[in-house]
Amino acid sequence: MQQALGLMGDQAIMIGITFAMGIAGIAGLFMALFWPRRWRLPYRVEIGFIVVLAGIVIYADRNSAQTFQAYEAGLETQQALSGQVAAGQEGAAFDRRIAVYAFQWGFLFFDEDGAASRNAVKVAPGAKVLFSIAANDVIHGFNIPAARMTTELEPGRVQSIWIQAPQAPGKYLIQCLNYCGLGHTQMKAWLVVGDDAPPAAQEHG
Amino acid sequence: MIMRFWLLAGILLVALAWVLMVPLSPPSYQASPRSTVADYRASGVIPQVGEATISDAVGHDVFEIPETDAAHAAEETAAGAMPDMPGMAGDADAPMAEPGTGDGGHGADAGVAGTMPEAPGMADMPGMDTMPESGGADAPMAEPGTNDAGMADMPGMATMPESGGATESEGDHGGSQAGIRVLDGMMAGMAGRTVEIEMREWSFSPPGITVATGEVVRLTVRNAGNVPHEFMIMPPQGMAAVAYRLERADWNLTEHEAIFERQMVMPGDSFEVVIQADRPGNWMYMCMFPFHMQFGMMGSLVTEGTAPMEGMKM
Amino acid sequence: MTATTSTDLTGPHWTPQDLLGGWTLRDFLFSNDYRIIAVKGILTALVMLALAGLFALTFRAELTVPDIQFFGARVYMGLMTVHGMLMVFGFVIPMVISVCYYLMPVVLKTERLHWAGAAQASYWTLILGALLLIVGRPDFTWTFYAPMSLRVGGDLVWMGYLAIVLVGVSEFLAGAVLLRNVLAWKNGWGSMPLLGWGMFSEALLLLLSTPMLALVGAILLTDWAGLTGIYDPAQGGSTTTFLWMFWFYGHPAVYLPLVPAIAIVYTLLPRFLGRPMWSRASGIIAFLLLAVLSFIVFHHHFQPSVTTHSWVQRAFQILTLAIFIPSTLHVFNWIATLWYDRIPASAHAAIPFRFTIGAIFFLILGGVTGFLNAQISVDTDFIHNTYWIPAHFHAMFLGFCAQMAVAGTYYLYPYFTGRMVNRALANTHFWLWQLGIFAKVMLMYALGYAYFPRWVVDYLPLPEWTGAQMGVTMAGAAIGLGFLIFAANLAISARWGAAAPEDPWARSDREPTMTAATAAPAE
């Protein structure tokens, strides 16, 4: 959801913190093992260590919660507008509103007029797209690697996510990420980004 | 003592379990879901009956056709489909071997096939001896319009207006051997009888249809199941290409060719198609969603006196 | 059968003896001697590891390159399911608990395993469950999400549900045994060794979580039979109910092997270093915090499925992040213990100590990513149900828990065989595992970052996927080879190994340092 909001910098910081902590831990382990100098840590170091950890935890929680709320705010705007402004019109929260029917094993996409396409959906480059995903058989997943968004859907519930479509025209993978039966491997579809021209070389991620 | 016993017992157990898990693995199985359609349709989770139309935003060019398809088609044409095309062996009078019997069909064995006692007498096929070898458009046609090699160029023949964009008839598959014509609105009026087909998880009912050669039949296909299905009619030549896709990860990302295809039949929806078998033969109808066919969503469409394809029941 | 017990946590626990050679098969299967129960548990877990590992290598072979080479989705998912279940329920949890069964009577000075009958019952229930699983060959994965799990598997799938119930019963009994033995400690909570605190938290996890697993298994059974419709939306049930019930067990469950493995570290480090842990209090606090938090974080396993942005979800997020603190306290404590004085040359050379270090390394490698997994904003990107998650839990289960189980086994080996393992073979095993697990985990992280989906038999030939998959298969082969060397070493050394000295893990070249258990390093 960070990509949809243009917050990939936040994610990079989190991955950086993770790397730093991992490297620090492993470096500490090897120094304790092989560095000739012995070091008796005072207990207060641990207190300080906990405070630092707690700070990182609170920072991560706040950051994630803010991202999450901003993301959800987009969906709420859409709800508030639904019925008044059609997707794509001026004032709409999203350029496209696509209903997805996930089933064993494949995806159907319904555009705003209820017209269905099987295992592929076409959107304009950079469009803000709202997917309302539903299933009526088992728990499925819905993942668009290029848009960096994943969700999991329970049968009988409509799960809404939105993405920012990639700018480059092409075909991007959509896949199920929850084991949903033997055809799970094949439960894939294309997100076709482009205008009317035939899609270019197949791309991923 | 304990260690040796444990080692031996362990190795034995591991070997037995492996044999049980891999070579003796149980068949693929998926129980049919209980229907949630009525409830979920009421709450708007899934579309209403007849509400869904077919989008033309996504063309077939989005999906690729695996390169192996052409090779498979050629292979099948040379092998299993041989009996349907005696002309290819240069021996138009050879009686038909039973389709799918394999050895009767190989080009080199055509002469042997002709002497096989179990070969059913089906030599009375109209126009068979004039069928072009490889579906070339320049080959003389026995009867204009009968040969579906030309159908791709004839939209009126190939599509049913009432079925929308998802209904298609692809004539180029397997050359001219398809043998099933999909009739449009005007010619569909000739339909003599109506066969109702119900699709559900994971079967077609009825599982097989027999038609007379040249008979015009109206198929009414209804999805009585819980999830979307599709309906396509394939010539025997297509089956190797289908088998190739069966467990490939890109099944849903590739296109397949068929004589007739109706995508996305939503639960509760139905459609009609009028077909005519130009010549004796056998074909299959199936749902081409992953594993639907393997679980049993396939049926055979045969002309009277022809045996269904071997390996039909999977 | 004499056991030398020591009040000193750094001293030898037993005198090496060839117990194994003296046991009859009848004794071995049914005796209530704690050493027999523990060794039987360890050897059985190793058979389970062989089985589940062979299954892993089999389906790994299929994944090496794109396309189907050997078998299709049904066989693959059967192998995957049984691999996961046997590894978690049959190998790693029973093995670390068995090592603790061996350690507890000495470390906690109970001299025997109380309620050994319950431990036997736990063992045999698990065997029955494992056999049912192998015969039933279900293909619903180890998380068996309803209603998918109610529709796959065929006629024998009920055996899978029953196996789930039996696993629940077995683990519950093990929890009762552990609690009983911890409570047998006479000298008060204040001086209880950290192994006791670890076993106390483990007992809480087992006793409180496993009834839910048995209940889930039983409901799956009745739902499948059509008697109830609790998890099946088509029968008026709810998948949400399933998710909450299953993961209420499922999150404590992933700590079931972790907590005893941590307790083994706390037992082995003082033994090899000849000094007490840097901070006993921090270990106790970390154990208890970990046990409590493990019950209230389970929602992170399915957080992208919830449509609301309620405070509940936020609470689960911060609690999940908070788990980071107690687990890091353990690692901090270990590193501080290693650092505050010289490490004897004998420790560097000892195989169990090496495996302990390797295990700590992988606990760090697997643990830090938990920080990313917990954040909803990142989780919904490349983490949820991509290979990132298997990378995370293989680092934890295989890299840490299984390696600590192996360290415990190498440590105990002279005490029940009277012989030392072959050092060259053991070192080969060590390096094959470290390199194999490291390559495997890192490549799986990379695959996860490239959105490789879990549970697939075949995949698209994308360049970022194919090379890494090939690498994971080769790393898996190295781990498998390491296991074969390990098993052969155990079998060969039991007969031909060098006789163990009086104290097989005697410390040498160590400077005089404080050895009293109660003495803590001053500030």
Side-chain angles (χ1 to χ4, degrees):
Chain A
M1 62 181 59
Q2 277 151 327
Q3 169 138 319
L5 294 161
L7 294 174
M8 288 309 284
D10 282 17
Q11 193 185 92
I13 291 171
M14 292 303 168
I15 293 175
I17 291 175
T18 308
F19 262 99
M21 289 190 299
I23 289 167
I26 289 166
L29 177 67
F30 283 123
M31 281 163 79
L33 280 172
F34 301 115
W35 202 29
R37 196 179 150 201
R38 297 291 89 189
W39 181 29
R40 186 184 297 265
L41 279 164
Y43 285 141
R44 64 173 180 276
V45 172
E46 190 169 40
I47 308 289
F49 181 68
I50 293 171
V51 170
V52 171
L53 276 188
I56 294 174
V57 161
I58 289 165
Y59 167 65
D61 173 65
R62 277 175 55 91
N63 185 287
S64 171
Q66 278 168 5
T67 308
F68 189 42
Q69 276 157 14
Y71 186 86
E72 293 284 321
L75 296 175
E76 278 169 23
T77 314
Q78 178 65 31
Q79 272 178 348
L81 291 174
S82 77
Q84 300 164 35
V85 186
Q89 288 182 358
E90 202 172 330
F94 296 103
D95 301 320
R96 296 291 305 279
R97 196 167 63 211
I98 290 165
V100 185
Y101 187 168
F103 59 95
Q104 288 174 320
W105 290 270
F107 296 101
L108 293 189
F109 298 89
F110 297 91
D111 66 11
E112 292 80 352
D113 304 324
S117 53
R118 177 181 60 111
N119 293 331
V121 61
K122 195 167 196 172
V123 299
K128 275 178 85 176
V129 186
L130 174 75
F131 289 102
S132 301
I133 315 157
N136 69 335
D137 42 23
V138 299
I139 296 176
H140 290 286
F142 183 83
N143 166 243
I144 307 177
R148 308 188 73 100
M149 187 63 206
T150 300
T151 194
E152 190 172 305
L153 41 139
E154 296 174 36
R157 287 197 177 175
V158 179
Q159 178 85 350
S160 291
I161 62 164
W162 63 275
I163 62 154
Q164 191 98 44
Q167 293 291 345
K171 294 194 294 184
Y172 298 89
L173 191 65
I174 297 175
Q175 57 186 354
C176 173
L177 284 186
N178 270 65
Y179 184 65
C180 51
L182 288 179
H184 166 63
T185 305
Q186 292 139 337
M187 193 163 164
K188 298 186 190 313
W190 287 126
L191 173 72
V192 183
V193 174
D195 304 316
D196 285 338
Q202 116 186 20
E203 283 181 47
H204 164 75
Chain B
M1 203 280 280
I2 300 282
M3 205 55 128
R4 263 174 294 168
F5 170 79
W6 218 254
L7 210 58
L8 285 177
I11 290 170
L12 198 66
L13 187 80
V14 168
L16 276 176
W18 191 87
V19 170
L20 205 58
M21 289 292 301
V22 182
L24 302 182
S25 180
S28 295
Y29 175 86
Q30 172 89 33
S32 76
R34 293 179 181 85
S35 182
T36 51
V37 170
D39 291 350
Y40 289 171
R41 190 175 281 134
S43 58
V45 171
I46 60 170
Q48 307 298 317
V49 178
E51 190 186 63
T53 56
I54 307 300
S55 165
D56 54 3
V58 176
H60 282 279
D61 52 350
V62 168
F63 302 100
E64 279 153 36
I65 296 172
E67 286 166 10
T68 51
D69 270 24
H72 281 133
E75 231 172 69
E76 290 269 316
T77 307
M82 258 303 295
D84 292 335
M85 314 177 41
M88 190 163 171
D91 182 3
D93 299 329
M96 296 284 293
E98 191 175 342
T101 47
D103 60 339
H106 291 288
D109 299 340
V112 181
T115 61
M116 282 169 71
E118 65 267 42
M122 288 189 300
D124 55 339
M125 293 173 291
M128 276 308 284
D129 51 344
T130 61
M131 295 265 293
E133 277 190 49
S134 56
D138 53 347
M141 292 185 184
E143 190 184 338
T146 307
N147 189 323
D148 61 359
M151 278 176 69
D153 305 317
M154 298 180 215
M157 291 299 290
T159 60
M160 292 175 62
E162 67 271 23
S163 305
T167 301
E168 58 188 80
S169 163
E170 294 166 358
D172 52 341
H173 188 105
S176 62
Q177 301 91 38
I180 294 270
R181 293 169 58 198
V182 177
L183 304 178
D184 70 356
M186 187 179 66
M187 292 179 74
M190 294 156 56
R193 69 181 167 119
T194 300
V195 176
E196 288 185 4
I197 300 179
E198 279 204 343
M199 306 190 281
R200 57 167 55 84
E201 296 82 21
W202 313 94
S203 64
F204 280 101
S205 111
I209 304 167
T210 306
V211 297
T213 306
E215 184 188 5
V216 179
V217 180
R218 181 188 304 275
L219 304 179
T220 308
V221 186
R222 180 169 168 273
N223 180 355
N226 191 47
V227 296
H229 291 295
E230 57 183 13
F231 182 82
M232 58 171 57
I233 301 173
M234 293 277 280
Q237 294 94 315
M239 292 316 292
V242 170
Y244 167 74
R245 285 175 171 80
L246 284 182
E247 290 190 326
R248 283 180 61 86
D250 58 358
W251 170 304
N252 274 351
L253 305 178
T254 57
E255 189 54 276
H256 29 250
E257 296 178 345
I259 299 169
F260 171 81
E261 175 181 351
R262 173 68 158 82
Q263 305 179 347
M264 294 174 285
V265 188
M266 304 300 289
D269 283 8
S270 58
F271 69 95
E272 287 181 354
V273 56
V274 179
I275 57 162
Q276 181 182 27
D278 288 336
R279 56 170 173 81
N282 53 50
W283 300 269
M284 300 186 62
Y285 52 93
M286 64 195 69
C287 175
M288 276 284 275
F289 286 140
F291 277 96
H292 288 208
M293 190 175 75
Q294 288 101 309
F295 289 140
M297 290 197 72
M298 60 196 326
S300 67
L301 174 61
V302 295
T303 48
E304 284 163 7
T306 311
M309 275 177 74
E310 214 174 70
M312 241 293 301
K313 298 298 170 205
M314 295 176 82
Chain C
M1 294 279 177
T2 55
T4 325
T5 59
S6 165
T7 50
D8 182 359
L9 288 177
T10 63
H13 292 120
W14 305 268
T15 314
Q17 255 185 302
D18 185 14
L19 298 171
L20 194 65
W23 290 330
T24 64
L25 192 59
R26 189 190 166 85
D27 279 350
F28 192 66
L29 291 180
F30 304 110
S31 163
N32 281 350
D33 183 325
Y34 74 90
R35 280 164 290 208
I36 288 181
I37 291 178
V39 173
K40 180 173 64 176
I42 290 170
L43 292 184
T44 308
L46 289 178
V47 173
M48 301 266 197
L49 172 61
L51 196 51
L54 180 66
F55 291 167
L57 289 177
T58 310
F59 71 67
R60 266 266 132 238
E62 178 57 62
L63 284 173
T64 311
V65 289
D67 288 358
I68 298 289
Q69 287 86 33
F70 308 115
F71 42 75
R74 175 62 182 87
V75 178
Y76 178 87
M77 288 313 300
L79 288 169
M80 164 74 76
T81 302
V82 180
H83 160 76
M85 288 201 164
L86 285 187
M87 280 292 190
V88 176
F89 301 130
F91 159 60
V92 69
I93 297 176
M95 185 139 166
V96 288
I97 289 183
S98 294
V99 171
C100 291
Y101 279 168
Y102 207 117
L103 293 169
M104 280 173 82
V106 173
V107 175
L108 298 181
K109 300 197 189 96
T110 55
E111 300 295 342
R112 67 189 186 91
L113 191 69
H114 293 280
W115 287 2
Q120 289 283 11
S122 163
Y123 174 85
W124 290 108
T125 316
L126 191 67
I127 295 289
L128 186 58
L131 291 178
L132 278 176
L133 201 63
I134 292 166
V135 176
R137 288 161 287 176
D139 56 340
F140 46 48
T141 77
W142 92 267
T143 51
F144 40 88
Y145 270 21
M148 174 275 296
S149 56
L150 300 170
R151 313 220 201 290
V152 298
D155 295 339
L156 295 180
V157 72
W158 60 270
M159 290 187 181
Y161 309 134
L162 198 55
I164 294 164
V165 177
L166 291 176
V167 166
V169 171
S170 162
E171 292 187 344
F172 183 82
L173 289 171
V177 174
L178 294 178
L179 188 64
R180 173 68 184 83
N181 284 275
V182 170
L183 296 179
W185 169 257
K186 294 287 192 309
N187 302 346
W189 295 90
S191 62
M192 187 156 68
L194 282 167
L195 180 77
W197 284 101
M199 290 301 101
F200 178 68
S201 351
E202 173 78 356
L204 287 185
L205 295 186
L206 284 166
L207 290 174
L208 295 177
S209 70
T210 53
M212 194 58 103
L213 179 69
L215 186 60
V216 169
I219 292 176
L220 283 173
L221 202 54
T222 54
D223 266 16
W224 179 76
L227 303 173
T228 57
I230 292 169
Y231 295 149
D232 190 349
Q235 290 170 272
S238 152
T239 48
T240 312
T241 312
F242 173 84
L243 290 174
W244 283 71
M245 283 178 73
F246 172 71
W247 286 112
F248 177 80
Y249 163 77
H251 198 78
V254 300
Y255 290 172
L256 293 181
L258 184 76
V259 171
I262 292 172
I264 297 170
V265 179
Y266 278 123
T267 312
L268 294 191
L269 279 188
R271 180 79 178 85
F272 284 100
L273 297 175
R275 53 177 182 260
M277 296 307 295
W278 174 76
S279 165
R280 197 171 158 276
S282 117
I284 295 170
I285 291 168
F287 267 131
L288 294 180
L289 258 182
L290 203 62
V292 172
L293 284 176
S294 73
F295 280 100
I296 45 180
V297 297
F298 58 87
H299 185 273
H300 65 233
H301 289 272
F302 51 99
Q303 62 191 3
S305 74
V306 171
T307 47
T308 55
H309 58 291
S310 61
W311 61 270
V312 179
Q313 194 158 10
R314 174 83 187 269
F316 275 114
Q317 175 179 270
I318 192 157
L319 288 168
T320 307
L321 282 164
I323 281 273
F324 205 57
I325 294 174
S327 32
T328 316
L329 284 187
H330 284 305
V331 178
F332 190 87
N333 202 349
W334 301 333
I335 292 178
T337 304
L338 288 168
W339 214 334
Y340 83 76
D341 206 343
R342 280 197 60 193
I343 296 170
S346 57
H348 273 303
I351 300 297
F353 185 80
R354 291 182 158 211
F355 270 97
T356 307
I357 299 303
I360 296 172
F361 175 87
F362 282 107
L363 183 62
I364 297 171
L365 191 69
V368 283
T369 55
F371 174 71
L372 286 177
N373 303 356
Q375 300 174 41
I376 297 169
S377 59
V378 189
D379 184 46
T380 49
D381 186 345
F382 59 86
I383 290 173
H384 187 74
N385 279 347
T386 67
Y387 258 37
W388 186 273
I389 293 300
H392 169 71
F393 70 68
H394 277 92
M396 301 298 254
F397 280 178
L398 174 59
F400 180 69
C401 304
Q403 293 220 86
M404 279 321 295
V406 166
T409 307
Y410 274 130
Y411 173 72
L412 296 173
Y413 191 77
Y415 293 127
F416 65 84
T417 61
R419 293 176 186 277
M420 304 298 283
V421 291
N422 181 309
R423 284 188 54 81
L425 288 179
N427 275 324
T428 316
H429 170 208
F430 175 76
W431 283 111
L432 278 173
W433 271 36
Q434 306 318 309
L435 299 175
I437 300 172
F438 183 76
K440 173 189 158 69
V441 166
M442 295 314 279
L443 287 170
M444 284 170 93
Y445 275 135
L447 280 167
Y449 194 71
Y451 298 91
F452 193 94
R454 289 176 73 179
W455 305 300
V456 294
V457 59
D458 185 23
Y459 51 95
L460 303 179
L462 302 174
E464 64 269 39
W465 287 359
T466 46
Q469 280 291 359
M470 172 87 74
V472 177
T473 301
M474 292 192 296
I479 297 168
L481 184 63
F483 170 78
L484 285 183
I485 292 172
F486 174 48
N489 197 356
L490 293 189
I492 292 167
S493 302
R495 192 181 172 96
W496 292 287
E502 178 67 19
D503 180 0
W505 312 113
R507 292 177 294 275
S508 60
D509 86 352
R510 102 186 131 90
E511 290 175 358
T513 178
M514 65 190 79
T515 47
T518 47
E523 254 190 83

